[in-house]
Amino acid sequence: MSHQLIDSIPVWGTPLPDAVAQMKNCLRPGAKAALMADHHLGYAVPVGGVIAYPDHISPSAVGFDIGCGNTAWKLSLSYPEIKDVLPSVMDEIVRRISFGVGRKNPNPVEHPIFDDPLWSELPMLGDLKDMARAQLGTVGSGNHYVDLFRGEDGHVWIGVHFGSRGLGHKIASHFIKAGGGKDGVNVDPVLLYVDSDLGVQYEKAMELAGEYARVGRFEVCLEVTRVIRETLLRTPPIFVSDMVENHHNFSWRETHRGVEYCVARKGATPAFPGQRGFVGATMAEPAAIIRGLNTEENKLGLYSAVHGAGRVLSRTAAAGKSKWIKGVKTRVSEGCVPQSELESSVNQANVVLRGAGVDEAPRCYKRLDEVLEAHSGTFEVLEQLVPIGVAMAGANEIDPYKD
């Protein structure tokens, strides 16, 4: 067994006392919880945390970026076919896909999701529809990315990580406030009775935001595929031969040991027996395709897995503190990660990088191989994906849509 039981909470990896204490504060009678090996402190509920309530759904446990998740597409394209034009591909990706705060898609996507009657049934959603339509297919900043990988058989994969953008943030903020909660780290989680009017409204809005996030990731992967084909001047189509898709900020109704729960995974990936997931690493280390195991240890973690490597260094510690003064980002204190370290990491890994700041440097994260090893009893690694291209928002971008 590679977990510890701390006050009835199974914890994988090295327990972080502040995150463990935060999860203990989330427990209520009848609830079950777990912490994945990439756990760390979050807003009211730890990132990398799983919590199951029998009678409540929790906007705090889902988080602000509802439906944030990972999508990976395997292409009918080998690495040698793209190697020489990779810099041009990455240039075109950042030109055609919007990264950063509150960005709009320069080529708006029309999609049936905007015909869903829920937009008009819930008044607060109607007010967000135009913003959601404008942002569909944008990525955001922070740790959100569009990456290209080389699989173990030499095929190219697209991997993306982001969620529901401003839509999810505003839904979460609305229901946290409506449920009497506060926005903060050391605050109690908001719990809504699942059968209450507020609970029913939140669950419907959350599910719409989750579908919106899934559609957004699909559209971005589709656009990246177009970029690759056009850059290669390729006439034959590029096929998608495999696809892995998971939310890691969401709440599902699930039955565990005969009891039905609302299971919220915040920075944790569903990993039921046989279920696959795409887990990202840092920009200079291999990501992984995983598959849940049918074991007692996996059952103990409510069939859950990590969603990434997990931060060990805060953004402020890494990059220093900055203030926006008259629209200009001005540094007021230095961080501990120099730009040269970031550049050295990606150069050694032969990664073509576009964007990103030192707060996304590999040193800011745990090592993914160690995180995966901690969960050897809950899931298996099917394939490692080596990064060849990484696109993220630039160092001077901010994004209010918290994970």
Side-chain angles (χ1 to χ4, degrees), residues 15-191:
L16 299 181
D18 55 358
V20 173
Q22 190 177 51
M23 186 57 94
K24 285 171 61 178
N25 185 58
C26 296
L27 286 173
R28 298 294 184 272
K32 293 183 178 294
L35 285 170
M36 304 294 101
D38 58 341
H39 68 269
H40 58 87
L41 203 64
Y43 286 86
V45 178
V47 177
V50 183
I51 183 123
Y53 296 108
D55 301 311
H56 295 87
I57 189 168
S58 174
S60 307
V62 171
F64 285 94
D65 195 0
I66 298 170
C68 189
N70 292 335
T71 297
W73 285 12
K74 182 179 182 178
L75 305 182
S76 59
L77 188 74
S78 67
Y79 173 63
E81 291 178 87
I82 196 176
K83 180 180 178 181
D84 292 341
V85 297
L86 190 56
S88 297
V89 168
M90 300 310 298
D91 287 341
E92 192 67 7
I93 285 173
V94 296
R95 190 184 75 81
R96 285 168 52 169
I97 296 173
S98 294
F99 295 79
V101 55
R103 294 299 178 86
K104 296 180 179 180
N105 191 336
N107 300 300
V109 177
E110 289 298 324
H111 193 276
I113 193 172
F114 297 113
D115 298 326
D116 193 308
L118 198 61
W119 293 103
S120 55
E121 289 175 11
L122 293 182
M124 62 89 57
L125 284 180
D127 295 338
L128 304 178
K129 187 174 181 179
D130 288 345
M131 177 199 66
R133 191 191 298 273
Q135 288 190 336
L136 186 63
T138 65
V139 176
S141 64
N143 61 348
H144 296 158
Y145 57 74
V146 175
D147 288 1
L148 296 179
F149 298 93
R150 183 182 72 248
E152 291 179 2
D153 63 358
H155 277 261
V156 173
W157 288 72
I158 302 168
V160 301
H161 169 220
F162 62 94
S164 52
R165 308 297 292 117
L167 174 65
H169 184 271
K170 291 182 182 299
I171 289 172
S173 299
H174 172 85
F175 283 97
I176 287 173
K177 183 177 180 179
K182 297 179 180 178
D183 176 7
V185 174
N186 297 309
V187 298
D188 291 335
V190 171
L191 303 179

Side-chain angles (χ1 to χ4, degrees), residues 26-356:
C26 296
L27 286 173
R28 298 294 184 272
K32 293 183 178 294
L35 285 170
M36 304 294 101
D38 58 341
H39 68 269
H40 58 87
L41 203 64
Y43 286 86
V45 178
V47 177
V50 183
I51 183 123
Y53 296 108
D55 301 311
H56 295 87
I57 189 168
S58 174
S60 307
V62 171
F64 285 94
D65 195 0
I66 298 170
C68 189
N70 292 335
T71 297
W73 285 12
K74 182 179 182 178
L75 305 182
S76 59
L77 188 74
S78 67
Y79 173 63
E81 291 178 87
I82 196 176
K83 180 180 178 181
D84 292 341
V85 297
L86 190 56
S88 297
V89 168
M90 300 310 298
D91 287 341
E92 192 67 7
I93 285 173
V94 296
R95 190 184 75 81
R96 285 168 52 169
I97 296 173
S98 294
F99 295 79
V101 55
R103 294 299 178 86
K104 296 180 179 180
N105 191 336
N107 300 300
V109 177
E110 289 298 324
H111 193 276
I113 193 172
F114 297 113
D115 298 326
D116 193 308
L118 198 61
W119 293 103
S120 55
E121 289 175 11
L122 293 182
M124 62 89 57
L125 284 180
D127 295 338
L128 304 178
K129 187 174 181 179
D130 288 345
M131 177 199 66
R133 191 191 298 273
Q135 288 190 336
L136 186 63
T138 65
V139 176
S141 64
N143 61 348
H144 296 158
Y145 57 74
V146 175
D147 288 1
L148 296 179
F149 298 93
R150 183 182 72 248
E152 291 179 2
D153 63 358
H155 277 261
V156 173
W157 288 72
I158 302 168
V160 301
H161 169 220
F162 62 94
S164 52
R165 308 297 292 117
L167 174 65
H169 184 271
K170 291 182 182 299
I171 289 172
S173 299
H174 172 85
F175 283 97
I176 287 173
K177 183 177 180 179
K182 297 179 180 178
D183 176 7
V185 174
N186 297 309
V187 298
D188 291 335
V190 171
L191 303 179
L192 308 175
Y193 278 104
V194 290
D195 296 328
S196 68
D197 182 57
L198 205 57
V200 170
Q201 286 186 40
Y202 172 72
E203 188 169 25
K204 288 181 178 179
M206 177 200 71
E207 289 176 349
L208 182 65
E211 179 63 10
Y212 174 87
R214 186 196 65 78
V215 170
R217 293 193 291 270
F218 180 93
E219 292 294 337
V220 167
C221 288
L222 190 62
E223 184 67 9
V224 172
T225 306
R226 292 191 193 103
V227 166
I228 293 172
R229 185 182 178 194
E230 291 168 15
T231 305
L232 289 172
L233 301 176
R234 183 186 175 111
T235 301
I238 296 174
F239 296 103
V240 179
S241 60
D242 197 5
M243 183 184 299
V244 182
E245 160 70 41
N246 299 94
H247 290 331
H248 53 237
N249 280 19
F250 208 68
S251 181
W252 294 262
R253 294 203 183 200
E254 299 172 2
T255 299
H256 294 270
R257 302 186 189 274
V259 179
E260 185 176 284
Y261 296 93
C262 286
V263 181
R265 295 181 178 88
K266 184 180 189 181
T269 304
F272 284 85
Q275 184 177 12
R276 295 185 304 161
F278 165 50
V279 178
T282 73
M283 63 180 69
E285 296 166 285
I289 303 295
I290 64 170
R291 181 169 60 195
L293 296 174
N294 188 14
T295 62
E296 284 299 313
E297 187 170 359
N298 195 13
K299 186 182 294 185
L300 186 64
L302 302 171
Y303 297 115
S304 306
V306 298
H307 81 305
R311 290 196 75 91
V312 293
L313 196 62
S314 73
R315 296 188 182 281
T316 300
K321 187 176 292 186
S322 298
K323 290 184 178 180
W324 288 85
I325 302 174
K326 296 182 178 180
V328 178
K329 189 175 183 180
T330 305
R331 180 166 295 180
V332 296
S333 68
E334 293 296 321
C336 65
V337 181
Q339 180 68 24
S340 58
E341 179 182 321
L342 171 63
E343 294 171 358
S344 176
S345 296
V346 296
N347 289 338
Q348 289 179 19
N350 294 314
V351 170
V352 178
L353 176 64
R354 297 292 181 265

